[in-house]
Every structure is written in C-alpha cells, then in structure tokens.
Amino acid sequence: MKKMYLLVICVILMACSQDDTVREEVEAIGDYSLSGKFLAPNQIDPISNANVTLFKAEQKQAETLTNSLGEFNFEELFEGSYSILLEKGHFSSRLNVDIEDGQINNSVDVGNIDIQEFPRIGVVTGSYDNIENILYDMGLVNPITNAPLFDIIEGNSAGRSSIKNKNPRGQQHNHFGKTASTNPYLTTNVDFTLEELLSNSGQLAEYDILFFNCGLDTANADLNTNVYDFVNNGGILYATDWAFPFIEQINSISGNAYLTFTEPHRSGVSVSTEATILDATLSNWLVDNFGVGANGTLTIDEFLGSWQVVDSHDETQVLPWLNGSVEYMDANNNLVNTTKNLAFTYQIGEGGIFYSSFHTENNEEGFSDVDRIMEYMVFELSTLGQAQE
C-alpha cells in the first residue's frame, strides 16, 4: 500500500512538472511584431530575397528573407532593444530598434531601410555597355558630392568611338559605340588603366566586384591569369558580350568549360528576342514592383548587330537566367534560328561570375526593362561564393 501511495505521488509530481513546462513554453511567446522594407541605396527599388537577422543582446533571435517587395516581418517578440542586420551579398545595412510597452497593435514598423554598406566596386569602361549608369541610378552615389561610390577605369585605349566590323557573311555593320555617359560624374576617376590593373594582382584583390563592360580591350585576355585568381580567391566578375575572352581564359585555367561559345565568334545577328525568365524570384520582383514580365517573358532588345552567342553551359555548376529564340551564323556561314540561354551565374572557388550576351539599354532617362534585369543581377551576383562560407 505504501508503495502504491509513493507511485501516485510520483505520477502527480511528473504531471505537475509537465504542466509547468507547457506553461513556460506558452509564456515564452511574445506579443509583438516587427516589420520593415529593405531598399536599394536610391531608397526606391526593393531588395528581394535578402537575409534579415534579428539580434537581442548580440544573440540571434530569428532570421528571415525579404519578399519580392523587399518586406520582412518578425512575430512573437518581447519588449526590449533589438538590432537588425540586412544583407544581400556584399551589400548590407544595420538598424537598432526598441520594442516598448504601448506600441499600437503591438506592432513596430521600422519603415524603409536602404543599403548603407557597399562592396569595393570597379567598373571598366567599354564601347557598348555602360553598367556605371545603372549603378549610379541604383543610388551608389555620394549624396553630398554626387560622385559615384565606385571606381571607373579606362578599359579601351581607343575610346568609345564608332567602329565597323564584319559579320561572318562579310556584310558591314556599323556599331556606334555607346558614348560615355553625359553624367559629368561618370568619367574615369582613377589614375590607372585596365592594362595596368590586370598586371597587378594586389590591386585586383582590392576589389570585391569588377564590372567588365562590353567593348573593353581584350587583346591580352588569353595571356592573363590574374583575373582567374581574382575570382577564385573570392572576387566577383560581371562581364557582357564581347568581354567573353576573359571567360574563355578562366575556362582554360580552371580546366572546366563553364560556358562554351559558338564559332565563329561574334556571329549573333538577331537584335531582339522575347526571352523566358527562368527564375521565379526574378520574375516576381519584375512583376510586383514594375509591372513587367507578367507572362513570364520579357523583351530583350540590347544586342549588338554581331554579338557573342553562348553555345552551352555546364548544367551541374552554371545557372541560366533567361532563354530566348535567336539567330546566328554557323561555321558554314548558314543562318541558324534556335533557342539559347542568354545570361548566367556560377561560382568558381570562393568567387563567381555573371555573364550575359546582352547588356544595358544605356538610356539616361531612367531604367528600361532590360536595365531592371541588370539591376537585379548586380545584387544577385554579389551573393556568389557566399554559399561556401
């Protein structure tokens, strides 16, 4: 009888203990929510799929991703002082916020938070692309001096003049180089050239991201090993169209054909395509914020009259972003009409590469649809390599 009595007491104590645990778990759920919106440094364009981490007393409390509108939300929080870290690759911002008793509806909206911390960026000028215009319009600019928050490096000793070249059919095409920006702040602002930069591995390593505009000097690309080292050691390279010789050299050094290019080179002749958007996150960002690409396609009309076609990619390591019907000349001088992928990202070592067969619209009056893709990819490419960290 005595043993039975003790058993009953133990059961009662265990039940009380479990009840206390449940009560503690219920009590551990806070009543407050915290929300906000992450924006580009121009304080207008949302940053999609960014990491948002919430800290309290330097301890991580929660983590989430921004949606296509740049919005984030945390629930079930307690009163107290918090800090928020917002990150999209190398771009980030931080904010301190207090949750206090008496908040309306127990909800704290910190409003818009724009990027405040930037990577070290170098832009190499070219005859047919002006990514520097997009970077400037994204807000990478000193708000007091209006100077760009990135280096602009001369990439073509011949300047951005009009040149003529022949396609494989022997027909002449005038390609008027997209002249240097009329923005007086977007001129060369360093005292070294592309050639000097490429010969100096230490100087290359000072950059987090390098932008190679289409039409830069590629004469010695097949002799250069420093660009590969830059990427392999954590750097990020943006390259468009005629900058492809640097991609081929990286292939050669790495021993991996991440991208292969059709021959003869620069044989693309179509200048527009209705491209399918292959990434849902990019598609949602374009539709939800700018009302473009609602049917999952977007008109890409920024090709040169003789552009470089990507023949194939390593499907195990390379991510294609857009696909469209194009025309190019094959090695037998026959016109080929087929579907090709047009833009790619991939990791190499600790860094990564973005390459596209098209480039910026270069309209000083604001963003075109093609420019919006490039804006999105600027932030997206800054995340390359971080998956390995």
Side-chain angles (χ1 to χ4, degrees):
M1 187 68 178
K2 185 175 181 180
K3 290 182 179 180
M4 181 63 71
Y5 174 76
L6 291 174
L7 179 60
V8 171
I9 293 295
C10 288
V11 170
I12 293 172
L13 290 174
M14 290 176 63
C16 291
S17 176
Q18 290 175 351
D19 183 64
D20 288 342
T21 299
V22 171
R23 186 179 298 112
E24 288 176 0
E25 290 178 352
V26 171
E27 292 174 352
I29 298 176
D31 297 326
Y32 295 89
S33 66
L34 178 63
S35 61
K37 189 171 184 177
F38 194 29
L39 300 179
N42 63 11
Q43 303 178 6
I44 299 173
D45 300 333
I47 305 299
S48 173
N49 211 35
N51 291 306
V52 187
T53 309
L54 184 68
F55 296 90
K56 187 176 185 181
E58 299 184 357
Q59 298 295 315
K60 184 166 74 172
Q61 303 296 304
E63 192 171 16
T64 189
L65 295 173
T66 57
N67 62 17
S68 61
L69 298 174
E71 300 167 337
F72 65 89
N73 186 62
F74 294 106
E75 301 282 352
E76 300 177 350
L77 303 178
F78 293 97
E79 297 176 21
S81 297
Y82 293 85
S83 63
I84 308 169
L85 173 62
L86 305 100
E87 300 173 292
K88 183 67 175 184
H90 289 286
F91 297 90
S92 64
S93 194
R94 301 169 188 271
L95 181 72
N96 296 323
V97 59
D98 292 327
I99 296 179
E100 302 173 342
D101 186 24
Q103 301 280 355
I104 299 176
N105 297 324
N106 286 358
S107 177
V108 178
D109 184 355
V110 297
N112 297 335
I113 307 171
D114 58 287
I115 291 172
Q116 296 293 330
E117 299 176 26
F118 308 93
R120 177 76 187 277
I121 293 174
V123 175
V124 181
T125 64
S127 298
Y128 310 118
D129 194 3
N130 285 118
I131 188 66
E132 56 267 37
N133 285 336
I134 291 180
L135 297 177
Y136 197 88
D137 289 343
M138 286 164 49
L140 274 70
V141 53
N142 185 311
I144 298 175
T145 66
N146 292 322
L149 296 175
F150 50 88
D151 291 345
I152 302 177
I153 305 154
E154 177 56 56
N156 191 333
S157 58
R160 302 188 188 210
S161 59
S162 170
I163 65 172
K164 291 184 178 181
N165 55 74
K166 293 183 178 181
N167 73 4
R169 280 181 166 177
Q171 296 171 326
Q172 291 259 340
H173 283 274
N174 278 322
H175 293 313
F176 290 91
K178 294 192 172 182
T179 58
S181 172
T182 57
N183 184 334
Y185 298 100
L186 294 182
T187 57
T188 302
N189 58 10
V190 295
D191 60 1
F192 54 87
T193 65
L194 170 63
E195 183 179 1
E196 293 168 329
L197 174 66
L198 295 182
S199 66
N200 189 332
S201 59
Q203 196 166 35
L204 273 170
E206 293 178 4
Y207 291 101
D208 298 303
I209 306 175
L210 281 174
F211 292 84
F212 280 8
N213 279 316
C214 174
L216 82 171
D217 185 2
T218 61
N220 297 314
D222 59 345
L223 302 176
N224 188 280
T225 61
N226 287 339
V227 175
Y228 170 79
D229 291 337
F230 164 76
V231 175
N232 191 52
N233 293 330
I236 296 168
L237 176 65
Y238 161 108
T240 57
D241 200 6
W242 286 14
F244 73 90
F246 288 100
I247 305 300
E248 288 190 316
Q249 175 65 343
I250 288 172
N251 284 350
S252 177
I253 296 173
S254 67
N256 190 319
Y258 295 100
L259 300 178
T260 62
F261 299 94
T262 60
E263 294 185 4
H265 288 156
R266 303 173 183 174
S267 59
V269 296
S270 54
V271 294
S272 178
T273 186
E274 192 68 12
T276 299
I277 304 168
L278 302 177
D279 181 82
T281 305
L282 169 58
S283 180
N284 292 338
W285 183 79
L286 290 169
V287 173
D288 295 344
N289 294 291
F290 312 107
V292 298
N295 61 351
T297 65
L298 195 69
T299 300
I300 304 295
D301 55 3
E302 294 306 320
F303 297 94
L304 291 180
S306 56
W307 53 278
Q308 183 55 55
V309 182
V310 174
D311 186 42
S312 64
H313 67 278
D314 183 340
E315 295 183 359
T316 66
Q317 301 187 69
V318 179
L319 178 67
W321 290 82
L322 297 149
N323 180 284
S325 177
V326 300
E327 293 181 342
Y328 67 95
M329 308 304 298
D330 67 13
N332 296 317
N333 207 31
N334 295 318
L335 183 65
V336 178
N337 188 326
T338 188
T339 299
K340 288 293 185 182
N341 292 317
L342 305 171
F344 312 82
T345 54
Y346 53 101
Q347 293 185 188
I348 295 180
E350 297 178 4
I353 289 176
F354 166 80
Y355 177 83
S356 73
S357 294
F358 61 92
H359 28 76
T360 61
E361 187 270 345
N362 195 34
N363 186 338
E364 300 275 355
E365 300 304 318
F367 289 95
S368 71
D369 293 349
V370 174
D371 288 346
R372 287 300 183 190
I373 291 176
M374 291 309 199
E375 177 188 20
Y376 183 91
M377 295 312 303
V378 168
F379 291 117
E380 191 65 31
L381 68 87
S382 81
T383 69
L384 292 174
Q386 294 194 343
Q388 298 180 358
E389 294 181 356

